[in-house]
Amino acid sequence: MDYFESLSGNPWPVRMALVVVALVFAVLVYDAAMALCRRSLRLRSVIDEIRRPGRIIVVGIVLQASLVSMDLPSAAGDILRRGLMIGIIGVAGFAVARIVGLAFDRAIMPYAAREDAMSRARRTQLDFFRRASLTGVAGLTIAFCLTTMPAVRAMGISLFASAGVAGIVIGLAAQPTISNLIAGIQIAMTQPIRIGDVVVVEGEWGRIEEISSTYVVVAIWDQRRLILPLSYFLQKPFQNWTRQSTQILQPVFLHVDYSLPVSALREQLNRVLERTPLWDQRVANLQVTDLGEHAMQLRALVSAADSGKAWDLRCLVREELVTWIREHHPQALPRARMEAVLNLPGERRAA
């Protein structure tokens, strides 16, 4: 600071030249320090993330210090000084956010390509806390920027003094946001849902695609997206098909005539399953589950490794069994029986 204060007695061009020299010298020293730190493999990715923001911060600090020697009007000097301070705080917050994001990305990377339950659980927790941390960094950065303005700082002090009334008002206004934030923490810890889980919610089948700090994105099978608040998954029932395991059972219902040989159809089901890779060889059975006035109900129960294969297997089994019945026992397809009754002479015709 003494160096820059000593510049005030020099002519304006000299001052500007010396400020430029100071900027170049500071940037060269900064780049040299970054180059030395970058030799460490552990710090290389971090240095690459903060190198440019750090250079901007160094330039801002040098310019902030050089304003003392510029003999600017007080109003203009205050505006420039405040603008530089806001810029330095903003760039510093951006650099911190880059470092935080990089740290969480490294932590998520080992679980990114895995689809087992533990990996999806870790990925869900880390992704939520990553978003929460970045939101906190952004909030603190904005708060520090606002404190550079005297009017805003005075307002903050007055609001802090009346924190009782202000807290009640802010609490009522931010109730949905706070409830979703708390719900997010609960979901991250208890994990009723995880990224990649297959769920049935609001009558829609889909996969959990994103869990943010306030909402959940469910990717529906037809490429639509269902957006739900976090609190929904703590207040309303839903189906999670992959909570413990991705394995799942699928029923296939058929209505056939009583003349169909069930044992022959059961053998056909086994033949269909043996030649398809969609079946995981756990469950395969065919049972008569109901008897109606005109037909009986059969249920073929099959298993698959995940919900996607289970859906394809269910459709395949339904198609193959119906085709087999039509080709080998067409008389066993559902039909309505009619009986003709002849009216004998002298009998009264029914009304």
Side-chain angles (χ1 to χ4, degrees):
M1 184 65 69
D2 295 336
Y3 170 76
F4 289 104
E5 289 178 351
S6 65
L7 298 178
S8 58
N10 294 319
W12 177 262
V14 176
R15 295 183 216 168
M16 291 300 298
L18 292 175
V19 169
V20 171
V21 171
L23 286 173
V24 173
F25 178 76
V27 170
L28 290 176
V29 172
Y30 171 80
D31 287 343
M34 291 294 101
L36 290 175
C37 295
R38 199 175 181 276
R39 292 184 177 180
S40 174
L41 295 178
R42 294 183 178 180
L43 297 177
R44 179 168 297 178
S45 57
V46 177
I47 296 301
D48 291 339
E49 291 291 333
I50 66 172
R51 188 169 185 173
R52 291 182 179 178
R55 188 183 293 116
I56 296 174
I57 293 173
V58 169
V59 172
I61 292 174
V62 173
L63 291 176
Q64 179 86 357
S66 66
L67 289 178
V68 179
S69 64
M70 295 301 179
D71 291 336
L72 297 173
S74 59
D78 290 339
I79 293 174
L80 288 176
R81 193 175 296 108
R82 191 172 297 120
L84 285 172
M85 182 59 66
I86 292 174
I88 292 171
I89 294 174
V91 175
F94 175 76
V96 172
R98 295 284 292 269
I99 295 175
V100 171
L102 178 63
F104 277 100
D105 289 342
R106 282 188 173 183
I108 294 173
M109 191 178 300
Y111 308 104
R114 302 177 185 175
E115 291 299 329
D116 57 283
M118 187 191 73
S119 298
R120 288 187 288 110
R122 294 290 184 270
R123 194 161 69 243
T124 300
Q125 289 179 335
L126 292 171
D127 187 71
F128 173 79
F129 287 115
R130 179 183 186 274
R131 295 176 184 274
S133 300
L134 292 178
T135 302
V137 171
L140 289 175
T141 302
I142 294 173
F144 282 126
C145 290
L146 292 177
T147 56
T148 61
M149 305 177 186
V152 177
R153 185 167 58 249
M155 185 183 299
I157 294 174
S158 62
L159 288 176
F160 183 78
S162 58
V165 177
I168 295 175
V169 174
I170 295 174
L172 292 174
Q175 185 177 359
T177 303
I178 294 174
S179 64
N180 281 324
L181 180 61
I182 295 175
I185 297 174
Q186 289 179 297
I187 288 176
M189 300 307 296
T190 60
Q191 295 190 348
I193 56 173
R194 296 161 298 198
I195 294 176
D197 275 352
V198 176
V199 297
V200 177
V201 56
E202 293 292 319
E204 299 284 357
W205 182 94
R207 190 179 298 273
I208 301 295
E209 183 179 55
E210 179 183 350
I211 302 177
S212 73
S213 56
T214 56
Y215 60 86
V216 176
V217 179
V218 181
I220 305 176
W221 64 273
D222 57 1
Q223 297 185 350
R224 290 179 294 155
R225 298 296 185 270
L226 183 63
I227 311 298
L228 297 168
L230 281 171
S231 56
Y232 178 94
F233 293 90
L234 298 178
Q235 298 174 358
K236 295 186 179 181
F238 63 95
Q239 297 181 35
N240 190 335
W241 289 12
T242 54
R243 181 68 178 86
Q244 299 294 336
S245 172
T246 60
Q247 295 176 337
I248 192 170
L249 301 179
Q250 283 289 330
V252 177
F253 291 97
L254 298 174
H255 292 85
V256 296
D257 190 75
Y258 285 94
S259 62
L260 177 72
V262 178
S263 58
L265 185 62
R266 186 177 292 116
E267 293 176 0
Q268 175 62 17
L269 172 63
N270 293 331
R271 287 193 293 268
V272 171
L273 295 178
E274 287 173 358
R275 63 173 182 259
T276 176
L278 298 173
W279 182 49
D280 64 357
Q281 301 182 359
R282 289 190 302 118
V283 177
N285 62 51
L286 179 70
Q287 296 175 315
V288 179
T289 55
D290 196 11
L291 299 176
E293 182 179 357
H294 302 291
M296 60 180 175
Q297 183 187 61
L298 305 181
R299 187 194 69 178
L301 192 63
V302 295
S303 61
D306 56 61
S307 57
K309 292 180 179 179
W311 173 262
D312 293 337
L313 179 61
R314 183 181 185 183
C315 295
L316 174 66
V317 168
R318 185 185 295 114
E319 179 182 347
E320 292 287 342
L321 294 185
V322 170
T323 301
W324 185 86
I325 294 173
R326 187 179 66 248
E327 293 178 352
H328 295 82
H329 298 277
Q331 77 284 353
L333 293 174
R335 57 183 176 175
R337 288 186 173 87
M338 298 181 64
E339 183 177 358
V341 179
L342 297 176
N343 293 319
L344 299 176
E347 287 187 349
R348 187 176 181 180
R349 185 182 296 272

